[in-house]
Each structure stands twice: as structure tokens, then as C-alpha cells.
Amino acid sequence: MKKILSILLVVLFPFSGTYAQENNEKTTQEKAPKQYLPEKGDWGIGVDVVPLLKYIGTAFHDASGKPNDLNGLGGTPFTKGSNFEKGNKTLMPDISIMGKYFLTNKFALRANIGLKISAETDKAYCTDDKAAILDPLSEDKVVNKIRNRKNGISIMLGGEYRKGERRVQGVFGAGLLFACMKDKVKYDYGNSLTDINQNPSGSVYPSNNSNVPKGYRLLTEFNTGANFYTGITGSAGIEWFVGPKISLGAEVNLSLYYLCGKKIYIESEGYNEALQRVEKRTDLVSPGNRGFYMATESLGGSLNFNFYF
């Protein structure tokens, strides 16, 4: 009997040591404090939650009773609500991507980048003038097209410094700003303008544009170069870590930037009575604008969720 007990003890001794070690490791892991704050080498992504809150707050309907669309969920670009919106010069995109990389536990590089390349074509039917001349009862149609091209980019590159060791940190940042936009609108008509048909159906004759001669229809509206701005920004805000490396933050920015708008041209065509022929012409609409601004903005979102990994 003693021999049997001795053999069992020899066999089970290594397993008892392993079991004790596993229990000690488990206890150590359970007692280890959770890491709430981002650390050196971590990456971060931020999401603006204001569009989501507005979407929920209106209970899926706006004041008119129509469904409320969730039209954006990302970082708010610097150009949102800026002077680029004046004169129909809204810079795309409406949202952007926020990212961070921590060089130390206190200092991180940050970037806010938005990019939009849009190409839309609107189509509409109109009377086929040639068929109508041959047969007044004809119901044949041709297609008019309006092609819209709007491309833009907004960029902020900089750094941030964090103050605080607990779950609430102060965040102070600075960076360089750059944005540009270029757009073009082109009209393609189903009915050609000729010596015989000097007023084709479906043509666009802007009465409120003194740069287009009377009787001339628009062909192209475009700017020869990009509207752009460049400048610097400084920010101050807070982040409250609601969970390990998950925070709810808010910040405000003071930005100083220079805006430059290039010359804008339009192309049109019409019948020149003096020359007795159809001609195309290019006219200057705007000589270009300049501006210097200092204002508080909400680069990166006035209220945002941040995730670190």
C-alpha cells in the first residue's frame, strides 16, 4: 500500500505544480489593472458622433415629417462651414478620417484627411426639334445631360500633447492646414444649335448671368485652377476614457489661414447676328478672391469617439 501511495505522489507531483502555477497566473491577471490610456506605439481613430446624435434626436424624421438621413459619420473637415461655402464654392468632402500615432505615452502625431472625387450626370428629356420640324405631331425626344465634376481634398497634419494620468486627460494640439477644390459643370444638349435652329429646345439661357450674352446657351462652367487655402491651427480639448482605450472627447480650434480663389470662366454658344454664324465664346465670371481669416473651428469633430489599439 505504501508503495502504491509513493508511486501516485511521484506521478501527480508535477501536475500539482502546474495547477498551482496556472492558479497564480490567473490570480495575477485578474488583479492586473486595466490600461485605459493610450501608450507608446498605439494607433488611434476618431469618429465624429454629432451626426449620429442628430439622427437619433429627430427620431428618424425631420421637422417636415420626412425621413432624416444619416448623411455623415466621420471626422469633420476644417472646411465645414468655412468661407469656401460662399459663392457656391463648398469644398468636398463633408467628412474626413482622423488618425493618430503615439510616439510616447504623452505625445502623438495626428492627421485629419478628407478626399472626395465626384462625377455625376443628370439627364432629362426634351423635344426633338428636327423630328418636330419634319412632323409637327411627332413625340420623339432627345436627351440633355448636365455633367458635374467636383474634386477636393482637405488635410491637417500636426501633433498633440496629453496631460493627466487618470481617465480624464487634457489634449493640446497644433498643426498645418491645406485644402483645395476644383469643379466643372458641362452641358450636353440633344438638339444642336444651327443657322436654322437658333433657339434649340432644352437649352440653358441664364437670365441672371450678365457674363453670358443674350441668346447664348451655357456649355461649360469651370474654374481654371483650384480654390485653396493654407494655414495653421491650435486646439485644446479633453478626453474621458469610458473604457480601456476608448474615449469620448471634445475640442475647439483656433485657426489662422489664407484663402485664394482662382479665376472662374464660362463657355457658351449662340448665333451671332452680325457675323451670321454660330460661334462659341469664353467669358470671365470672377477675377478671383483673396482672404485672410482667423476663427475658431471644429477640426476633428466637436464631439467624438476615439479608439486606440
Side-chain angles (χ1 to χ4, degrees), residues 284-295:
L284 179 65
V285 175
S286 172
N289 301 310
R290 301 289 187 274
F292 178 78
Y293 302 92
M294 183 173 69

Side-chain angles (χ1 to χ4, degrees), residues 22-86:
E22 290 179 351
N23 281 339
N24 290 334
E25 291 178 354
K26 185 176 181 180
T27 302
T28 303
Q29 290 176 359
E30 290 177 350
K31 292 182 179 180
K34 295 180 179 180
Q35 179 61 41
Y36 280 86
L37 305 181
E39 302 173 287
K40 177 181 178 180
D42 282 354
W43 292 87
I45 295 178
V47 178
D48 185 6
V49 298
V50 172
L52 182 60
L53 294 177
K54 289 181 178 179
Y55 182 72
I56 297 174
T58 53
F60 306 102
H61 288 80
D62 60 17
S64 63
K66 297 179 180 179
N68 183 33
D69 295 330
L70 184 63
N71 55 13
L73 189 62
T76 303
F78 176 78
T79 53
K80 188 69 172 178
S82 73
N83 291 279
F84 265 85
E85 293 188 359
K86 295 181 179 180

Side-chain angles (χ1 to χ4, degrees), residues 102-176:
F102 283 80
L103 298 178
T104 69
N105 291 354
K106 297 292 186 180
F107 182 78
L109 300 177
R110 63 191 298 183
N112 185 296
I113 300 175
L115 176 67
K116 181 63 177 288
I117 300 175
S118 65
E120 301 177 354
T121 300
D122 297 326
K123 299 180 180 181
Y125 285 112
C126 69
T127 302
D128 186 336
D129 290 346
K130 183 177 180 180
I133 292 174
L134 298 176
D135 180 8
L137 299 179
S138 173
E139 296 183 357
D140 291 350
K141 305 289 184 180
V142 293
V143 177
N144 284 347
K145 301 177 182 178
I146 301 179
R147 306 177 188 272
N148 294 276
R149 306 290 185 268
K150 186 184 290 287
N151 305 321
I153 185 171
S154 59
I155 300 174
M156 189 284 292
L157 300 175
E160 68 175 31
Y161 175 77
R162 292 172 172 266
K163 181 68 174 177
E165 301 294 338
R166 298 182 180 274
R167 291 170 61 176
V168 177
Q169 284 190 314
V171 183
F172 308 91
L176 301 176

Side-chain angles (χ1 to χ4, degrees), residues 236-288:
I238 60 172
E239 281 189 30
W240 171 43
F241 286 83
V242 297
K245 299 191 178 183
I246 300 176
S247 71
L248 180 64
E251 70 175 28
V252 66
N253 295 263
L254 178 62
S255 303
L256 184 70
Y257 59 96
Y258 175 76
L259 182 148
C260 177
K262 291 296 185 68
K263 296 179 180 179
I264 301 175
Y265 294 86
I266 59 173
E267 292 179 340
S268 62
E269 68 174 356
Y271 186 76
N272 189 316
E273 295 286 351
L275 300 177
Q276 296 292 303
R277 68 182 185 189
V278 175
E279 67 173 7
K280 295 182 180 180
R281 56 181 294 159
T282 300
D283 295 279
L284 179 65
V285 175
S286 172

